[in-house]
Amino acid sequence: MSAVMEAVAKDRQAGLDYDAIVIGAGMSGLYQLIKLRQLGMKARVFEAGTGVGGTWYWNRYPGCRFDSESYSYGYSFDKDLLKEWHWTEHFAPQPETERYLNLVADKYDLRRDIQFQARVKAAQWDEKSRSWTVALEDGSTHKTRFLITAIGALSAPTMPQFPGIADFKGQSFHTGLWPKEKVDFTGKRVAVIGTGASGVQTIQEVAKTAKELVVFQRTPNWCAPLHNGKISAEEMAEIRTRYDQIFKRCEETFSCFLHTPDPRNTFDVSAEEREAFLEKLYSEKGFGIWVGNFKDLLTNRAANDEVSRFIANKIRQRVKNPKVAEMLIPKNHGFGTRRVPLETFYFEVYNQPNVKLVDSKATPIERITPTGIKTSDTEFEFDIIVYATGFDALRGAFDRIEFEGANGVTLKQLWQDGATSLVGMLQTGMPNMFMLLGPHTALGNIPRSIEFNVEWVSELLRYVQAKRITRVEPSQEALEKWMDHVMELAKGLLSMEVDSWMTGVNLNVSGKQKRIVARYTGSAPAYRAWANDMAAAGYAGITLD
Ligand code: NA7
């Protein structure tokens, strides 16, 4: 028997139900389950939904898709799957990604280790048995040596606090909790509240069939064209030959996208050259305009103003009514300092006679009525209200579970002055717990970050099992060093001067109004180097017992 298998057998004798419990069957949970099986560990995944997919299970609102190039988004670890799978669009819509993740679940026969409709309510560490007891909403409890959270970074939907929401007699939906049944907007009077990435995608789609669409916009966002298109069989065959290059490129770029900052500063080039470069970016697919722009876009105010001016002019050219165009141009933040929603004829939607834009800062929503929405100056009637009001980002999914770690201290207590972590994956006081998309991990093109984190956690598990280690906890010192590094990286970023989920501001959640460094803002390669250096030094900064 190998050392790993021996250690696993010993745990079973100690009365544990599982070697590892994974919370969530989204992209990170599925891959983690595959890795745990490869390690010979007895694993269980608890998933709140009725199917796999996580983000791609819950966000089934009309027009939902990712903004990463499809071929840079799928898992890279399974070469056969890469040969087999055909992405039909450069930026695949939600149903396709959900199908893809179901195929992965089928291929690896993952569902037999996943319990669906199993929402985790609490998890409590027991020092004596060095294990976690995981409690589900159905009242059952499950004991495990290791606990792995695969609960996503944008997965705790938030509703606004308007009075009267429950009294609305029509249909209402949050984009992040969309029903499986098709919602038909044909001939309907529809409200969309929120103009973030989800709102923009929803609005584009709903405007096609709704009789009337009223968009309630509190803060306009800088949107740029996605330039999506179909992928033919021949094109896909050609893409398949380049998969190695594609994933190598993602490994080298700043945030794992195919795009990475241009090495030049904005004012290194002449005005004509600058304009031509921005035109080129504006006409190209995907996030190039944001993450492939001049390298000082997000640190130099004058540079940022130049790009903002360029995009503002594009909006003015695309929206016929100059008043509406001005309403759609952000005035309180520069281009790219919040998440840039990518769009397909979004601005043109406001040229349609069936679409109206309401400035809900100037005329705030006062209440939801049984028949619609009452703002400070108008009462609207609607058949459907869509809440595209976002998420309690980054830590929200953690806050919705009662984690109680060593010495009875809860995660909420540890994070009362803001979430912390060591490389986004470990937290002092939470032994044997690994967070796959925890606070201050590298995000960017998320599947690339997921693959790295899952593999890093799995290697750590291989290491501890082989050495018969039963307790893993990062030192406070290592955690503080990482957090100092995270704070340092955020200095001078224009995005830190702006309210958004990226700076921890979520006005729908009480007590979270203060701007904080909620994200790791360095490069993905630097993030990986930090984590890999720790591993190479025998998991330096982590107490293994
Ligand atoms: P976002 O980007 O957080 O957008 C939420 C939108 O909802 C945003 O326009 C908000 O306005 C608006 N909002 C939220 N609460 C209210 C209230 N109470 N009243 C009026 N308007 C409100 O969420 P998304 O789901 O679009 O995107 C989240 C991420 O998921 C996205 O970045 C992708 O990476 C995937 P505000 O700007 O706060 O004034």
Side-chain angles (χ1 to χ4, degrees):
M1 207 193 267
S2 73
V4 175
M5 295 310 286
E6 264 180 59
V8 166
K10 227 172 133 205
D11 272 2
R12 290 203 188 129
Q13 284 157 19
L16 302 183
D17 300 310
Y18 304 104
D19 304 315
I21 283 178
V22 179
I23 312 176
M27 241 180 144
S28 56
L30 295 180
Y31 186 35
Q32 187 63 69
L33 177 57
I34 293 171
K35 293 302 265 185
L36 290 169
R37 281 194 190 159
Q38 286 170 0
L39 287 169
M41 294 174 77
K42 188 181 178 199
R44 189 76 173 156
V45 178
F46 292 121
E47 164 57 53
T50 59
V52 301
T55 288
W56 305 110
Y57 170 87
W58 296 104
N59 288 267
R60 36 183 93 239
Y61 61 84
C64 177
R65 65 184 67 248
F66 47 62
D67 293 330
S68 305
E69 283 73 2
S70 304
Y71 24 90
S72 75
Y73 193 91
Y75 290 119
S76 71
F77 70 87
D78 183 334
K79 303 287 176 235
D80 294 329
L81 184 63
L82 291 173
K83 279 189 207 136
E84 182 188 329
W85 182 257
H86 182 146
W87 292 106
T88 64
E89 296 180 35
H90 285 274
F91 304 89
Q94 173 272 334
E96 185 162 324
T97 310
E98 193 189 15
R99 262 199 313 279
Y100 169 80
L101 292 171
N102 273 281
L103 177 73
V104 173
D106 290 341
K107 184 175 175 199
Y108 288 88
D109 187 19
L110 296 179
R111 285 189 194 80
R112 68 182 153 89
D113 289 324
I114 305 174
Q115 189 172 324
F116 293 102
Q117 291 178 285
R119 188 177 286 280
V120 173
K121 203 170 94 180
Q124 192 179 36
W125 171 250
D126 173 43
E127 196 63 63
K128 202 155 153 271
S129 59
R130 294 188 165 184
S131 68
W132 283 94
T133 301
V134 174
L136 305 186
E137 270 183 357
D138 67 8
S140 63
T141 58
H142 309 264
K143 246 178 143 171
T144 177
R145 173 75 71 214
F146 296 102
L147 178 62
I148 303 172
T149 68
I151 53 183
L154 290 149
S155 52
T158 50
M159 283 291 284
Q161 306 294 314
F162 309 131
I165 286 178
D167 304 333
F168 181 59
K169 296 267 188 297
Q171 292 178 290
S172 57
F173 309 98
H174 188 289
T175 50
L177 292 170
W178 203 265
K180 284 186 185 160
E181 303 71 44
K182 189 175 155 38
V183 179
D184 189 5
F185 295 94
T186 315
K188 301 273 169 58
R189 299 162 304 171
V190 184
V192 176
I193 303 174
T195 51
S198 308
V200 165
Q201 290 184 336
T202 307
I203 291 161
Q204 290 165 181
E205 208 49 40
V206 172
K208 290 178 186 165
T209 54
K211 182 168 127 207
E212 267 171 50
L213 168 62
V214 182
V215 174
F216 293 86
Q217 170 188 269
R218 191 167 61 182
T219 314
N221 282 304
W222 292 103
C223 309
L226 174 67
H227 295 298
N228 192 18
K230 297 267 183 237
I231 302 178
S232 67
E234 298 76 55
E235 223 178 326
M236 196 62 225
E238 187 277 324
I239 288 167
R240 283 196 193 97
T241 67
R242 288 191 288 114
Y243 264 131
D244 284 349
Q245 277 163 269
I246 288 170
F247 292 123
K248 185 164 179 289
R249 167 90 180 149
C250 293
E251 218 172 284
E252 291 164 356
T253 59
F254 193 91
S255 33
C256 311
F257 291 106
L258 293 172
H259 319 272
T260 207
D262 190 276
R264 296 167 300 173
N265 283 316
T266 308
F267 299 108
D268 288 350
V269 301
S270 68
E272 293 73 36
E273 244 181 289
R274 195 158 53 241
E275 202 72 7
F277 179 59
L278 294 177
E279 280 292 353
K280 176 176 164 293
L281 291 177
Y282 200 78
S283 69
E284 286 175 352
K285 289 184 176 50
F287 272 140
I289 188 87
W290 185 23
V291 298
N293 215 310
F294 292 112
K295 75 168 194 280
D296 57 351
L297 170 73
L298 301 176
T299 49
N300 177 340
R301 209 174 302 277
N304 190 277
D305 287 347
E306 274 295 294
V307 180
S308 300
R309 182 197 49 76
F310 175 88
I311 306 283
N313 283 336
K314 289 288 180 198
I315 298 172
R316 290 186 186 108
Q317 285 159 20
R318 292 174 57 185
V319 179
K320 285 189 187 141
N321 181 330
K323 262 200 199 140
V324 176
E326 288 314 308
M327 283 167 77
L328 289 163
I329 297 171
K331 304 289 187 316
N332 69 347
H333 67 283
F335 179 80
T337 60
R338 290 175 129 206
R339 204 280 203 186
V340 174
L342 293 186
E343 46 85 25
T344 305
F345 302 120
Y346 172 66
F347 291 110
E348 287 72 11
V349 157
Y350 296 97
N351 299 333
Q352 293 180 203
N354 63 332
V355 180
K356 179 179 162 74
L357 180 64
V358 170
D359 177 346
S360 57
K361 214 167 239 162
T363 53
I365 295 175
E366 286 181 348
R367 63 176 302 116
I368 307 295
T369 67
T371 52
I373 293 177
K374 183 180 179 321
T375 68
S376 59
D377 75 348
T378 312
E379 201 156 339
F380 295 89
E381 292 205 340
F382 294 114
D383 303 305
I384 301 175
I385 299 178
V386 176
Y387 295 94
T389 45
F391 300 91
D392 185 3
L394 306 167
R395 64 171 286 176
F398 289 91
D399 287 339
R400 292 179 185 194
I401 297 172
E402 294 301 323
F403 291 99
E404 187 186 307
N407 306 314
V409 179
T410 65
L411 191 61
K412 282 200 188 81
Q413 287 168 330
L414 291 170
W415 286 1
Q416 65 186 359
D417 297 325
T420 57
S421 72
L422 170 58
V423 290
M425 291 191 268
L426 300 121
Q427 168 65 47
T428 314
M430 295 286 141
N432 292 9
M433 177 167 129
F434 307 110
M435 304 178 285
L436 292 177
L437 283 181
H440 310 111
T441 192
L443 289 174
N445 187 13
I446 288 189
R448 304 283 64 80
S449 304
I450 285 174
E451 280 191 338
F452 176 81
N453 291 9
V454 167
E455 285 163 18
W456 192 90
V457 165
S458 303
E459 277 314 302
L460 172 54
L461 285 171
R462 184 194 307 280
Y463 183 90
V464 302
Q465 294 273 17
K467 292 194 179 300
R468 295 178 167 72
I469 288 159
T470 51
R471 197 180 189 286
V472 178
E473 186 185 1
S475 73
Q476 186 63 26
E477 192 192 346
L479 178 138
E480 280 171 15
K481 194 169 153 212
W482 169 253
M483 289 309 297
D484 286 347
H485 174 60
V486 168
M487 297 299 148
E488 201 53 41
L489 286 168
K491 281 188 187 154
L493 290 181
L494 298 174
S495 58
M496 287 309 303
E497 301 170 9
V498 180
D499 285 348
S500 75
W501 64 259
M502 294 182 164
T503 48
V505 178
N506 187 330
L507 297 172
N508 292 329
V509 179
S510 57
K512 284 202 185 157
Q513 280 84 347
K514 211 175 80 194
R515 243 179 246 157
I516 53 163
V517 180
R519 282 183 314 141
Y520 166 80
T521 54
S523 77
Y527 169 86
R528 290 192 294 264
W530 190 292
N532 284 338
D533 286 352
M534 281 171 52
Y539 295 99
I542 303 178
T543 310
L544 303 171
D545 183 15

